[in-house]
Amino acid sequence: MARALPGAAEEVPLPGGTLCRTAAGWDLLAAGVGPALAAAGTAGALTAAALAGRPYGLVVSAGIGGGFPPGAPVGSLVVADAITVADLGAETADGFLPVTELGFGTITHRPPESLVRVVSEATGARTGTILTVSTVTGTAGRAAALSARHPGALAEAMEGFGVAEAAAAHGVPVLEVRAVSNPVGPRDRSAWRIADALAALTEGFGKLAPALESWNRT
C-alpha cells in the first residue's frame, strides 16, 4: 500500500526497499551501494511496475562518482555513452581478463545514442564511458590501469552496470548520469567535493526532465 508524503509524493514499498513516487511523474528509488543491490532494487521496481500494468519506458541511474582527470574535473557532469563493468572477470599472469574473454556474459550496455545526445546538449554534460566498480579506486596505479583498459572512461561509480543489467532484462532503455565529486586516483578525502557534486547533479536534473520529454525514441 502506498503512503502519502509531504510535498505530494508517496512511498511505495517494494521487496528490499521503498520507491518514492513524485507528483511530477518520476519514480525515485534509492537501491543501495554497489552493483548487486542496484540490480536487485531496479529489477524489483521494474517487475512490480510491469505486473501492475504500468511498465517503465526508461531507467536513469544517477548519483555522484569519481572523474578521470583531465577529462572530467570535480564538479562536472558526465552522461554515459557506455556503461561498462570494470572488474568483472579474472586476474591472470598476463593481466586482467574481462568476463567476455572468458566466453560468457557482457561488460557493456549502451544507452540510446539519441538520448545521450539530447541529455548532453541540454545539461552540458561531458559524454564518455562510465565504469562500474565494486571497489573504489584509491591508487594512481589502479587509475592508470583502468584508463589504459578503457581509454574512453570519464568517470567511475558503483551502481550503473547493475542498473543496466536489470533494465536490459526487461527490455527498457537505460541512462547513467554522474556528477564528479573527486578525481579517480590516490584516495584523498580532503579533495572530495560532495556538496559541489550534488549541486551540479541537482542543476543537471532541472534540465534533464524537459530533455527526456522531448526525446524521440524512434
Side-chain angles (χ1 to χ4, degrees), residues 175-202:
L175 182 73
E176 184 173 11
V177 179
R178 294 283 169 175
V180 177
S181 60
N182 58 278
V184 176
R187 186 173 175 83
D188 177 11
R189 295 201 60 168
S190 67
W192 293 6
R193 298 292 182 267
I194 292 177
D196 292 344
L198 290 174
L201 188 64
T202 300

Side-chain angles (χ1 to χ4, degrees), residues 78-150:
V78 177
V79 58
D81 58 13
I83 301 169
T84 297
V85 61
D87 48 13
L88 181 61
E91 292 288 351
T92 75
D94 297 320
F96 177 80
L97 287 179
V99 70
T100 47
E101 293 189 27
L102 301 176
F104 53 91
T106 185
I107 61 169
T108 295
H109 292 281
R110 295 191 179 276
E113 290 183 10
S114 60
L115 175 60
V116 172
R117 182 172 59 254
V118 164
V119 171
S120 176
E121 290 173 354
T123 64
R126 297 152 195 258
T127 301
T129 300
I130 298 180
L131 301 179
T132 298
V133 295
S134 294
T135 302
V136 173
T137 299
T139 67
R142 176 173 162 83
L146 288 176
S147 293
R149 283 208 309 269
H150 307 282

